[in-house]
Amino acid sequence: MWLYAARRLLMTIPIGLGVTVICFALIYLAPGDPVQSLLPPDATAKDVAELKHAYGLDKPIPVQYLIWLGHALTGNLGRSIQTNQPVLDEVTRALANTIPIAVISVILAFVIALGLGILAATRVGGILDRLATGVAVLGISVPQFWLGVILVIAFAVELGWLPATGMGSSGSEHFSWFKWSEAKYAVMPIIALTMTPLGILMRTTRSSIAEMLALDFIQTLRAKGLSNAAIVIHAIRNALPQILAMFGLQLGYLIGGSILVETVFTWPGTGFLLNKAILTRDIPLLQGTILVLAMAFVLINLVVDLLQTAVDPRIKRA
Amino acid sequence: MSGALVEAPPAADARAQGVPAREAEPATRVRGYWGNVWQRLRYDYATLFFLFVILLIVASAVFAPLLSPFDPNKASMAHRLKPLFYHDNILGTDEQGRDILSRILYGGRTSLLMGIVPVVAATFVGGLFGVVAGYAGGRLNTIIMRSMDVFFAFPSVLLAVAISGSLGGGMVNQLITLTVVLTPPLCRVAETSASQIRSMDFVDAARASGASTVSILLHHVLVNVVSPVLVYASTLVSASILLASGLSFLGLGVSPPTPDWGLMLSTLREAIYVRPIVCAMPGVAILLTSIAFNLVSDGLRQAMDVKA
Amino acid sequence: MNTEAQGAAAPMLDQPADRGGRAQPMLIAQGLKRYFPIRGGLLNRRVAEVKAVDDVSFTVLKGETLGVVGESGCGKSTLARLLMHLLVMDAGSLIFDGDPVGTEQGLSLRDLRRNLQMVFQDSYSSLNPRLPIEESIAYSPRVHGMERGQAKRIARELLQRVGLRPEYFGGRYPHELSGGQKQRVNIARALALNPRMLILDEAVSALDKSVEAQVLNLLGELKREFNLTYMFISHDLHVVQYISDRVMVMYLGQVVEFGPVDTIYAQPRHPYTAALLECRLVVDPAGRIDTPPLVGDPPNPINPPSGCRFRTRCPHAETVCERTVPALGAWNGNTAAHLVACHMAHPGSGHSRAAPAPVVH
Ligand SMILES: Nc1ncnc2c1ncn2[C@@H]1O[C@H](COP(=O)(O)OP(=O)(O)OP(=O)(O)O)[C@@H](O)[C@H]1O
Ligand SMILES: [Mg+2]
């Protein structure tokens, strides 16, 4: 197991490097001169020269990459063209707003998917089973941003129960999860975010529970008179490692893919930041945010894999 | 009908005499793999229904010029943001007074294009790399698959936003972005399948007969890789449509006057307080299309008997 | 035999010519070696190796059937794949009918494969599930440039020849055939290039007894009809005795005994062969013995025992067996036809039983 863990750790290094290469390449994907895209339009010739020197932009591309990597590894992701703030600061501030809604959403999705999945499995073909199937199809088919719009229409425009956008009157600085007047701003983003992982999880839970109930040893247990509920619990315990893996993956997807929902609700997280970077063509901000998010995804996957090794006695080899 | 049977053409007559009796016996009804798939699909009415829905959507996009009551780009200041069933504007009008229904019909063209073209392109590119990696094994496999792993280090939405955000908007850029995003997963599916096939004895038998690698890939590997890859690709159509509409929503898709469901949702968002239902309409189109593709691909998976 | 079908036969590819003459062995294998690496550790380095085939040399004579026996995992299939050049050998060389294989002046791989074909062990995975079986059979002639229609005709004739009516079976897919039928198709496919020698890897092992007998008879007929040489791999000693002219016994990647079938079955010289043959008797109630002659699992092929590989399970093991590897040689200086790799069979080896006295029970 330790060998596996060490190997898994080692494997993360080339992947992390690959991620930095892609992020670095983003500047070159952007049309026009990279120097121009890294600076505000009104930059002086002196600014240009300074930047060129700082990033070695007059040097061959591999050298540029190494210089950039050196900066990135020490936390220097450049400055936002718009705000002139260090990109890292902007991203960490935004991340602090994204992580809570992502975590809550994934947990919600899990609770509902498992609960509904188990109930559905006890009576295949029943109403609950159909509901579960419907949720599964809907969850993977619905465009998140449209769901967001629908939620706004329903709960903000028509019913007026919840605020349509933003993160509270006092801004994100004083946001508190423990005051309803503030926390209610997070309700709709969370619902919108929950839907996709819910659909995916619903689907997997349903099929894997059905598959498991058909397994030989489960049949034996059943023949011995074990109740359905007990069997399902047994099955879930068996599936714990996979559940864990799914959890990590979905969490990563939400943290990295929150851009649409955050845009709809102007929730000031990383997704919103990305959107801002796109609209203003703030390439350093875009690049830095993407790098941080991708690295977070890599890290989450690493942690989940390691946890999975710890829980699952079967994983011994690569 | 019986008359035709009597007047059998002379050629058939000659053949009936020239060939040994056993050849004339009716052959046992044999269905190949694809024949079986079709048999299973034929009785899967739900899948057939949604296949029909897809055909309708495709037809309405193709025949949009015939079906649309209005020119999708004709603005009218006097008729801005009208409700459902406003005169001939069945689904109302948008913030520039353009007919929503016409724009949805035309928008289907973009959405279907974005759902299908990148998937086809990624199937070719990813399939090619995957089959080569799976069949070659060894170092080539390591190089190809490890490169793909780097793309898996990005959640798909993030990768799409990263590439699209750097490239900028526009239809071609969007197609490129989606193809790049969809290639690695297809490559992985093709690789898994190809490397399984690689270890089967019939591939060794083909090698033992002296066949070239290209011939083996074509006759023995591809035919077996095709069904899991197709099933997987079919699940990606809906994903691709959703991703594309998301990018358009962010302003990274087609440029404004072109009708596009994601873009429509984005511009109509300003008007949700005025005409909430009308503003939701383009999303209904996305949802329907996406559900239809998802359910058909589920049916296809079952008919092709591919494990999820 | 259906002579009419013979008469109407579509022209097959010509059987490659006999180049070496009657006395030239069909196949001479020298020092074949294949080690499979086992990777592990932090960087996935090669940490050990399975010595699947370790220095194996033998000859196959023209027109004979050479039986190869040994426990599961002793390297029989690996040996077959080395001969077919489906696996790269780590060392060793092959001479086919006098021509070295794969060298400049010798036989090219393509030519070797016209001469030498193989029937694979696993009849399930040896047919392409997406091809009708006649296409599977017609594939090899087409690879060698035959036109499609003719290749298909040959395929149908071969199907007929192996006992499957082409009009019923030709268009079928492998999953629509029974194991025995699949194995017949495999045989037909191997014959499609009209080779001179066939390697049959457990060709009948997965079949039940009556089907096995049918297929064995078929193999006998085909051998005469197509003028074939067989290398017949099996772990079933009855079958090997029935079909073979000479027998090669393998243990953990090495040849331990080699000789004419009657001699070996009557007077096994290697304790492993003797044990195998005794195992066989257990099936027969009259000859039942109380203790199983072959105790324990075969040792790990990753770290085979030093000296004689069989010594850990051998009742006669002594210190010599631990120290020196017994060479495969004529026993007691007897005729070169019967070779044994056991210290007891070689005078002066230092084993206490290395006297002329026979070891058999
Ligand atoms: N591709 C491979 N990679 C690693 N090890 C292998 C490979 N092929 C075979 N081996 C190992 O080599 C040894 C010999 O295998 P082989 O298949 O030749 O045995 P066999 O005598 O044919 O057995 P059986 O009677 O079961 O078919 C086994 O220990 C096997 O595990
Ligand atoms: Mg074998």
Side-chain angles (χ1 to χ4, degrees):
Chain A
M1 195 192 106
W2 289 114
L3 185 68
Y4 174 81
R7 233 162 55 194
R8 183 65 185 75
L9 259 172
L10 217 63
M11 244 166 61
T12 309
I13 295 174
I15 291 189
L17 280 178
V19 168
T20 60
V21 169
I22 291 184
C23 289
F24 173 73
L26 290 179
I27 312 175
Y28 288 89
L29 278 185
D33 183 4
V35 183
Q36 288 305 319
S37 56
L38 288 175
L39 283 172
D42 56 351
T44 62
K46 189 168 146 274
D47 291 340
V48 173
E50 261 175 20
L51 183 95
K52 266 196 171 161
H53 182 72
Y55 283 86
L57 288 181
D58 39 4
K59 303 212 169 70
I61 289 182
V63 180
Q64 289 180 31
Y65 166 70
L66 288 178
I67 294 175
W68 175 84
L69 184 64
H71 286 299
L73 285 179
T74 51
N76 175 4
L77 296 178
R79 278 174 184 277
S80 159
I81 294 177
Q82 292 296 313
T83 60
N84 205 28
Q85 298 264 334
V87 169
L88 190 65
D89 294 355
E90 297 245 11
V91 179
T92 37
R93 225 176 303 136
L95 209 52
N97 290 334
T98 295
I99 290 177
I101 56 169
V103 170
I104 295 175
S105 298
V106 178
I107 292 176
L108 255 181
F110 260 86
V111 171
I112 301 175
L114 282 182
L116 198 53
I118 291 165
L119 288 177
T122 54
R123 201 171 281 202
V124 177
I127 297 173
L128 280 175
D129 192 28
R130 280 166 198 220
L131 180 67
T133 318
V135 168
V137 174
L138 213 62
I140 55 171
S141 305
V142 76
Q144 277 180 342
F145 53 97
W146 178 72
L147 183 64
V149 172
I150 293 289
L151 289 173
V152 171
I153 291 174
F155 294 105
V157 180
E158 300 291 332
L159 298 170
W161 293 350
L162 293 168
T165 55
M167 206 179 171
S169 45
S170 46
S172 63
E173 304 296 311
H174 306 284
F175 185 81
S176 159
W177 285 97
F178 304 104
K179 275 197 297 214
W180 173 244
S181 61
E182 301 281 326
K184 66 182 179 183
Y185 284 88
V187 173
M188 288 200 291
I190 288 176
I191 297 177
L193 276 183
T194 306
M195 214 43 207
T196 310
L198 178 59
I200 295 171
L201 290 170
M202 198 71 251
R203 213 174 145 96
T204 11
T205 349
R206 245 180 55 85
S207 65
S208 54
I209 289 183
E211 222 166 78
M212 259 191 230
L213 289 179
L215 284 180
D216 279 349
F217 82 99
I218 300 274
Q219 296 288 349
T220 318
L221 289 181
R222 188 172 269 179
K224 283 186 185 164
L226 221 62
S227 74
N228 255 339
I231 290 171
V232 168
I233 288 172
H234 191 97
I236 290 178
R237 237 201 335 255
N238 264 6
L240 199 65
Q242 285 98 295
I243 292 178
L244 204 63
M246 287 292 273
F247 189 91
L249 206 61
Q250 296 304 326
L251 182 63
Y253 283 156
L254 285 198
I255 292 179
S258 59
I259 179 166
L260 292 165
V261 168
E262 290 186 3
T263 301
V264 171
F265 294 105
T266 48
W267 183 265
T270 46
F272 188 62
L273 195 65
L274 269 181
N275 188 33
K276 218 166 65 183
I278 291 169
L279 286 180
T280 56
R281 293 212 62 76
D282 192 338
I283 297 291
L285 185 60
L286 181 78
Q287 188 189 38
T289 313
I290 285 168
L291 180 63
V292 171
L293 288 178
M295 284 303 175
F297 190 54
V298 171
L299 273 184
I300 290 174
N301 281 335
L302 175 67
V303 170
V304 165
D305 266 13
L306 294 181
L307 277 180
Q308 209 185 346
T309 338
V311 207
D312 193 346
R314 281 169 303 184
I315 302 180
K316 288 228 173 63
R317 41 188 195 84
Chain B
M1 280 315 288
S2 61
L5 269 181
V6 176
E7 292 172 345
D13 232 326
R15 209 178 53 179
Q17 287 166 2
V19 173
R22 59 184 164 89
E23 287 263 291
E25 283 174 31
T28 38
R29 202 160 51 100
V30 174
R31 280 188 228 118
Y33 169 77
W34 294 104
N36 280 326
V37 168
W38 172 235
Q39 279 304 313
R40 266 172 266 172
L41 267 185
R42 254 181 64 181
Y43 297 103
D44 182 354
Y45 296 119
T47 301
L48 286 185
F49 173 75
F50 284 103
L51 203 59
F52 180 67
V53 172
I54 290 179
L55 287 180
L56 278 187
I57 295 171
V58 171
S60 64
V62 170
F63 299 115
L66 300 177
L67 298 171
S68 300
F70 293 96
D71 176 352
N73 290 327
K74 196 175 130 269
S76 156
M77 279 313 183
H79 298 95
R80 286 163 57 198
L81 291 172
K82 293 300 177 198
L84 297 187
F85 304 112
Y86 174 81
H87 297 302
D88 287 341
N89 303 105
I90 300 173
L91 295 182
T93 61
D94 70 1
E95 75 289 347
Q96 296 186 31
R98 297 172 297 192
D99 180 50
I100 297 271
L101 177 62
S102 305
R103 289 186 71 71
I104 287 183
L105 287 173
Y106 275 93
R109 298 179 157 196
T110 333
S111 278
L112 290 174
L113 190 77
M114 290 303 162
I116 292 166
V117 172
V119 172
V120 172
T123 303
F124 275 104
V125 180
L128 181 73
F129 278 107
V131 167
V132 167
Y135 188 77
R139 192 153 297 167
L140 191 57
N141 180 297
T142 312
I143 292 173
I144 294 178
M145 296 322 288
R146 290 302 148 264
S147 321
M148 292 297 161
D149 280 351
V150 173
F151 288 93
F152 281 102
F154 293 84
S156 52
V157 177
L158 185 67
L159 186 58
V161 167
I163 300 173
S164 204
S166 309
L167 280 177
M171 184 176 285
V172 175
N173 283 348
Q174 200 178 4
L175 286 174
I176 295 174
T177 302
L178 292 172
T179 306
V180 173
V181 173
L182 300 180
T183 296
L186 273 164
C187 180
R188 196 178 262 185
V189 170
E191 191 265 346
T192 310
S193 167
S195 62
Q196 270 167 9
I197 299 300
R198 172 77 189 79
S199 65
M200 303 281 262
D201 281 345
F202 66 81
V203 171
D204 275 340
R207 288 210 293 145
S209 70
S212 66
T213 306
V214 174
S215 170
I216 293 174
L217 282 176
L218 284 179
H219 291 97
H220 296 285
V221 181
L222 272 188
V223 287
N224 286 287
V225 172
V226 152
S227 58
V229 168
L230 273 190
V231 164
Y232 188 71
S234 75
T235 66
L236 291 182
V237 174
S238 150
S240 183
I241 290 177
L242 286 184
L243 263 181
S245 65
L247 288 178
S248 301
F249 183 75
L250 296 173
L252 291 172
V254 295
S255 4
T258 319
D260 175 282
W261 297 340
L263 190 61
M264 286 169 78
L265 274 177
S266 161
T267 50
L268 283 169
R269 200 153 61 95
E270 314 295 316
I272 51 174
Y273 288 94
V274 191
R275 295 276 171 242
I277 305 292
V278 171
C279 294
M281 282 304 146
V284 176
I286 304 177
L287 182 64
L288 262 183
T289 314
S290 162
I291 287 183
F293 275 107
N294 268 326
L295 290 177
V296 167
S297 101
D298 273 3
L300 213 59
R301 178 203 308 286
Q302 270 165 23
M304 290 201 185
D305 199 19
V306 175
K307 282 264 153 58
Chain C
M1 220 177 72
N2 188 345
T3 41
E4 270 176 31
Q6 282 289 300
M12 287 185 71
L13 290 169
D14 290 332
Q15 189 164 50
D18 187 338
R19 291 152 57 92
R22 287 187 72 91
Q24 173 69 37
M26 186 66 94
L27 190 90
I28 304 175
Q30 285 165 336
L32 301 189
K33 242 181 222 180
R34 172 72 195 205
Y35 296 172
F36 290 111
I38 293 182
R39 297 182 184 280
L42 202 56
L43 295 172
N44 230 7
R45 291 251 174 80
R46 173 188 283 241
V47 289
E49 43 203 9
V50 180
K51 298 182 174 173
V53 170
D54 196 6
D55 199 5
V56 167
S57 305
F58 62 96
T59 57
V60 184
L61 304 178
K62 276 186 184 149
E64 77 164 336
T65 297
L66 175 68
V68 179
V69 290
E71 283 166 294
S72 183
C74 71
K76 305 181 296 290
S77 298
T78 306
L79 177 62
R81 279 165 201 271
L82 286 180
L83 296 178
M84 289 301 306
H85 286 70
L86 289 172
L87 278 175
V88 180
M89 41 183 114
D90 295 337
S93 62
L94 202 65
I95 298 173
F96 193 90
D97 198 9
D99 295 315
V101 176
T103 59
E104 279 289 316
Q105 313 82 8
L107 208 59
S108 72
L109 259 186
R110 203 176 159 84
D111 288 339
L112 173 75
R113 285 163 174 172
R114 280 280 279 109
N115 282 278
L116 178 62
Q117 282 290 306
M118 171 166 175
V119 174
F120 288 84
Q121 173 167 5
D122 180 0
S123 68
Y124 165 74
S125 82
S126 57
L127 290 171
N128 186 338
R130 295 284 189 272
L131 285 188
I133 55 173
E134 60 184 11
E135 299 276 351
S136 277
I137 300 171
Y139 180 73
S140 1
R142 294 199 57 204
V143 163
H144 286 266
M146 189 179 280
E147 169 266 325
R148 189 191 180 102
Q150 196 185 345
K152 209 129 168 201
R153 271 202 299 285
I154 288 180
R156 300 182 126 238
E157 254 151 44
L158 282 169
L159 275 178
Q160 179 85 26
R161 187 59 204 90
V162 296
L164 298 173
R165 300 179 63 187
E167 61 273 24
Y168 278 119
F169 290 97
R172 287 205 192 178
Y173 288 81
H175 69 94
E176 297 166 317
L177 301 183
S178 72
Q181 289 166 342
K182 265 188 267 201
Q183 208 51 298
R184 286 169 193 265
V185 176
N186 278 325
I187 293 168
R189 174 180 53 195
L191 290 175
L193 286 179
N194 204 355
R196 297 169 66 200
M197 178 173 166
L198 274 193
I199 299 173
L200 298 143
D201 189 359
E202 310 267 7
V204 295
S205 305
L207 310 178
D208 65 47
K209 283 294 156 195
S210 65
V211 181
E212 178 183 280
Q214 290 168 11
V215 175
L216 283 176
N217 284 335
L218 173 68
L219 285 174
E221 287 168 19
L222 292 173
K223 184 169 180 235
R224 261 173 277 126
E225 196 177 310
F226 291 90
N227 191 19
L228 291 165
T229 300
Y230 283 163
M231 178 161 151
F232 188 91
I233 297 173
S234 179
H235 52 248
D236 184 333
L237 288 120
H238 289 285
V239 172
V240 169
Q241 182 177 22
Y242 169 78
I243 201 169
S244 309
D245 300 306
R246 295 193 301 158
V247 176
M248 177 160 95
V249 183
M250 286 183 71
Y251 185 76
L252 279 190
Q254 294 185 322
V255 180
V256 293
E257 189 157 7
F258 190 99
V261 65
D262 298 335
T263 324
I264 288 198
Y265 276 65
Q267 280 195 303
R269 286 292 139 191
H270 197 284
Y272 175 63
T273 318
L276 277 182
L277 288 169
E278 266 174 42
C279 279
R280 184 178 65 129
L281 286 179
V282 179
V283 184
D284 175 11
R288 191 179 292 276
I289 44 171
D290 292 333
T291 48
L294 205 53
V295 284
D297 289 330
N300 188 344
I302 299 170
N303 283 312
S306 66
C308 173
R309 291 189 178 177
F310 185 59
R311 69 178 165 80
T312 50
R313 296 160 88 192
C314 180
H316 315 293
E318 292 180 5
T319 38
V320 230
C321 306
E322 205 172 313
R323 295 222 184 93
T324 39
V325 181
L328 182 67
W331 71 277
N332 271 354
N334 209 330
T335 77
H338 187 179
L339 307 173
V340 189
C342 175
H343 289 305
M344 292 190 290
H346 303 315
S349 66
H351 194 286
S352 62
R353 294 191 175 218
V359 244
V360 210
H361 321 258

PDB file of all heavy atoms in Angstrom, chain C residues 6-23:
ATOM      1  N   GLN C   6     -12.891 -33.395 -52.990  1.00  0.00           N
ATOM      2  CA  GLN C   6     -11.480 -33.275 -53.364  1.00  0.00           C
ATOM      3  C   GLN C   6     -11.321 -32.948 -54.839  1.00  0.00           C
ATOM      4  O   GLN C   6     -10.560 -32.088 -55.216  1.00  0.00           O
ATOM      5  CB  GLN C   6     -10.775 -34.620 -53.080  1.00  0.00           C
ATOM      6  CG  GLN C   6     -10.468 -34.821 -51.625  1.00  0.00           C
ATOM      7  CD  GLN C   6      -9.374 -33.899 -51.176  1.00  0.00           C
ATOM      8  OE1 GLN C   6      -8.277 -33.949 -51.701  1.00  0.00           O
ATOM      9  NE2 GLN C   6      -9.675 -33.043 -50.226  1.00  0.00           N
ATOM     10  N   GLY C   7     -12.083 -33.658 -55.644  1.00  0.00           N
ATOM     11  CA  GLY C   7     -11.953 -33.487 -57.083  1.00  0.00           C
ATOM     12  C   GLY C   7     -12.294 -32.082 -57.521  1.00  0.00           C
ATOM     13  O   GLY C   7     -11.607 -31.497 -58.349  1.00  0.00           O
ATOM     14  N   ALA C   8     -13.349 -31.513 -56.918  1.00  0.00           N
ATOM     15  CA  ALA C   8     -13.804 -30.196 -57.341  1.00  0.00           C
ATOM     16  C   ALA C   8     -13.055 -29.071 -56.640  1.00  0.00           C
ATOM     17  O   ALA C   8     -13.439 -27.927 -56.721  1.00  0.00           O
ATOM     18  CB  ALA C   8     -15.297 -30.066 -57.072  1.00  0.00           C
ATOM     19  N   ALA C   9     -11.962 -29.437 -55.930  1.00  0.00           N
ATOM     20  CA  ALA C   9     -11.311 -28.456 -55.064  1.00  0.00           C
ATOM     21  C   ALA C   9     -10.859 -27.214 -55.808  1.00  0.00           C
ATOM     22  O   ALA C   9     -10.310 -27.286 -56.899  1.00  0.00           O
ATOM     23  CB  ALA C   9     -10.104 -29.092 -54.380  1.00  0.00           C
ATOM     24  N   ALA C  10     -11.140 -26.068 -55.196  1.00  0.00           N
ATOM     25  CA  ALA C  10     -10.592 -24.835 -55.721  1.00  0.00           C
ATOM     26  C   ALA C  10      -9.095 -24.871 -55.465  1.00  0.00           C
ATOM     27  O   ALA C  10      -8.646 -25.428 -54.459  1.00  0.00           O
ATOM     28  CB  ALA C  10     -11.208 -23.648 -54.987  1.00  0.00           C
ATOM     29  N   PRO C  11      -8.303 -24.310 -56.374  1.00  0.00           N
ATOM     30  CA  PRO C  11      -6.855 -24.396 -56.178  1.00  0.00           C
ATOM     31  C   PRO C  11      -6.424 -23.637 -54.934  1.00  0.00           C
ATOM     32  O   PRO C  11      -6.650 -22.436 -54.822  1.00  0.00           O
ATOM     33  CB  PRO C  11      -6.293 -23.758 -57.445  1.00  0.00           C
ATOM     34  CG  PRO C  11      -7.413 -22.958 -58.019  1.00  0.00           C
ATOM     35  CD  PRO C  11      -8.679 -23.586 -57.572  1.00  0.00           C
ATOM     36  N   MET C  12      -5.839 -24.376 -53.998  1.00  0.00           N
ATOM     37  CA  MET C  12      -5.320 -23.710 -52.802  1.00  0.00           C
ATOM     38  C   MET C  12      -3.969 -23.124 -53.146  1.00  0.00           C
ATOM     39  O   MET C  12      -3.425 -23.363 -54.222  1.00  0.00           O
ATOM     40  CB  MET C  12      -5.160 -24.725 -51.673  1.00  0.00           C
ATOM     41  CG  MET C  12      -6.465 -25.177 -51.071  1.00  0.00           C
ATOM     42  SD  MET C  12      -6.208 -26.248 -49.645  1.00  0.00           S
ATOM     43  CE  MET C  12      -5.602 -25.134 -48.397  1.00  0.00           C
ATOM     44  N   LEU C  13      -3.430 -22.369 -52.223  1.00  0.00           N
ATOM     45  CA  LEU C  13      -2.043 -21.958 -52.375  1.00  0.00           C
ATOM     46  C   LEU C  13      -1.205 -23.231 -52.436  1.00  0.00           C
ATOM     47  O   LEU C  13      -1.531 -24.225 -51.796  1.00  0.00           O
ATOM     48  CB  LEU C  13      -1.609 -21.130 -51.166  1.00  0.00           C
ATOM     49  CG  LEU C  13      -2.223 -19.742 -51.033  1.00  0.00           C
ATOM     50  CD1 LEU C  13      -1.911 -19.182 -49.665  1.00  0.00           C
ATOM     51  CD2 LEU C  13      -1.687 -18.828 -52.108  1.00  0.00           C
ATOM     52  N   ASP C  14      -0.145 -23.215 -53.208  1.00  0.00           N
ATOM     53  CA  ASP C  14       0.705 -24.401 -53.259  1.00  0.00           C
ATOM     54  C   ASP C  14       1.376 -24.611 -51.922  1.00  0.00           C
ATOM     55  O   ASP C  14       1.760 -23.656 -51.249  1.00  0.00           O
ATOM     56  CB  ASP C  14       1.793 -24.217 -54.329  1.00  0.00           C
ATOM     57  CG  ASP C  14       1.179 -24.241 -55.722  1.00  0.00           C
ATOM     58  OD1 ASP C  14       0.134 -24.902 -55.884  1.00  0.00           O
ATOM     59  OD2 ASP C  14       1.743 -23.577 -56.618  1.00  0.00           O
ATOM     60  N   GLN C  15       1.524 -25.887 -51.568  1.00  0.00           N
ATOM     61  CA  GLN C  15       2.273 -26.143 -50.345  1.00  0.00           C
ATOM     62  C   GLN C  15       3.739 -25.809 -50.623  1.00  0.00           C
ATOM     63  O   GLN C  15       4.260 -26.149 -51.688  1.00  0.00           O
ATOM     64  CB  GLN C  15       2.141 -27.612 -49.960  1.00  0.00           C
ATOM     65  CG  GLN C  15       2.704 -27.898 -48.586  1.00  0.00           C
ATOM     66  CD  GLN C  15       2.248 -29.233 -48.050  1.00  0.00           C
ATOM     67  OE1 GLN C  15       2.357 -30.229 -48.734  1.00  0.00           O
ATOM     68  NE2 GLN C  15       1.733 -29.239 -46.840  1.00  0.00           N
ATOM     69  N   PRO C  16       4.388 -25.102 -49.705  1.00  0.00           N
ATOM     70  CA  PRO C  16       5.793 -24.763 -49.945  1.00  0.00           C
ATOM     71  C   PRO C  16       6.606 -26.033 -50.194  1.00  0.00           C
ATOM     72  O   PRO C  16       6.328 -27.081 -49.631  1.00  0.00           O
ATOM     73  CB  PRO C  16       6.226 -24.077 -48.654  1.00  0.00           C
ATOM     74  CG  PRO C  16       4.959 -23.593 -48.046  1.00  0.00           C
ATOM     75  CD  PRO C  16       3.905 -24.572 -48.446  1.00  0.00           C
ATOM     76  N   ALA C  17       7.608 -25.892 -51.039  1.00  0.00           N
ATOM     77  CA  ALA C  17       8.382 -27.063 -51.451  1.00  0.00           C
ATOM     78  C   ALA C  17       9.236 -27.601 -50.316  1.00  0.00           C
ATOM     79  O   ALA C  17       9.646 -26.868 -49.414  1.00  0.00           O
ATOM     80  CB  ALA C  17       9.269 -26.687 -52.625  1.00  0.00           C
ATOM     81  N   ASP C  18       9.484 -28.890 -50.364  1.00  0.00           N
ATOM     82  CA  ASP C  18      10.444 -29.531 -49.463  1.00  0.00           C
ATOM     83  C   ASP C  18      11.830 -29.169 -49.957  1.00  0.00           C
ATOM     84  O   ASP C  18      12.207 -29.484 -51.081  1.00  0.00           O
ATOM     85  CB  ASP C  18      10.218 -31.053 -49.527  1.00  0.00           C
ATOM     86  CG  ASP C  18      11.066 -31.785 -48.500  1.00  0.00           C
ATOM     87  OD1 ASP C  18      12.077 -31.205 -48.055  1.00  0.00           O
ATOM     88  OD2 ASP C  18      10.689 -32.915 -48.139  1.00  0.00           O
ATOM     89  N   ARG C  19      12.574 -28.446 -49.143  1.00  0.00           N
ATOM     90  CA  ARG C  19      13.872 -27.966 -49.624  1.00  0.00           C
ATOM     91  C   ARG C  19      15.022 -28.801 -49.114  1.00  0.00           C
ATOM     92  O   ARG C  19      16.046 -28.932 -49.770  1.00  0.00           O
ATOM     93  CB  ARG C  19      14.088 -26.517 -49.216  1.00  0.00           C
ATOM     94  CG  ARG C  19      13.173 -25.546 -49.941  1.00  0.00           C
ATOM     95  CD  ARG C  19      12.887 -24.311 -49.124  1.00  0.00           C
ATOM     96  NE  ARG C  19      14.096 -23.595 -48.730  1.00  0.00           N
ATOM     97  CZ  ARG C  19      14.628 -22.609 -49.440  1.00  0.00           C
ATOM     98  NH1 ARG C  19      14.051 -22.206 -50.548  1.00  0.00           N
ATOM     99  NH2 ARG C  19      15.723 -22.000 -49.042  1.00  0.00           N
ATOM    100  N   GLY C  20      14.868 -29.365 -47.936  1.00  0.00           N
ATOM    101  CA  GLY C  20      16.010 -30.009 -47.307  1.00  0.00           C
ATOM    102  C   GLY C  20      16.126 -31.502 -47.586  1.00  0.00           C
ATOM    103  O   GLY C  20      17.120 -32.124 -47.226  1.00  0.00           O
ATOM    104  N   GLY C  21      15.103 -32.120 -48.185  1.00  0.00           N
ATOM    105  CA  GLY C  21      15.150 -33.565 -48.386  1.00  0.00           C
ATOM    106  C   GLY C  21      14.596 -34.308 -47.190  1.00  0.00           C
ATOM    107  O   GLY C  21      14.340 -33.718 -46.130  1.00  0.00           O
ATOM    108  N   ARG C  22      14.402 -35.609 -47.336  1.00  0.00           N
ATOM    109  CA  ARG C  22      13.717 -36.407 -46.324  1.00  0.00           C
ATOM    110  C   ARG C  22      14.432 -36.434 -44.985  1.00  0.00           C
ATOM    111  O   ARG C  22      13.806 -36.431 -43.929  1.00  0.00           O
ATOM    112  CB  ARG C  22      13.574 -37.856 -46.816  1.00  0.00           C
ATOM    113  CG  ARG C  22      12.542 -38.043 -47.909  1.00  0.00           C
ATOM    114  CD  ARG C  22      12.375 -39.528 -48.165  1.00  0.00           C
ATOM    115  NE  ARG C  22      11.666 -40.190 -47.083  1.00  0.00           N
ATOM    116  CZ  ARG C  22      10.328 -40.336 -47.077  1.00  0.00           C
ATOM    117  NH1 ARG C  22       9.619 -39.901 -48.081  1.00  0.00           N
ATOM    118  NH2 ARG C  22       9.729 -40.944 -46.073  1.00  0.00           N
ATOM    119  N   ALA C  23      15.744 -36.466 -45.040  1.00  0.00           N
ATOM    120  CA  ALA C  23      16.485 -36.653 -43.801  1.00  0.00           C
ATOM    121  C   ALA C  23      16.602 -35.367 -42.992  1.00  0.00           C
ATOM    122  O   ALA C  23      16.847 -35.400 -41.783  1.00  0.00           O
ATOM    123  CB  ALA C  23      17.882 -37.187 -44.112  1.00  0.00           C
TER     124      ALA C  23
END
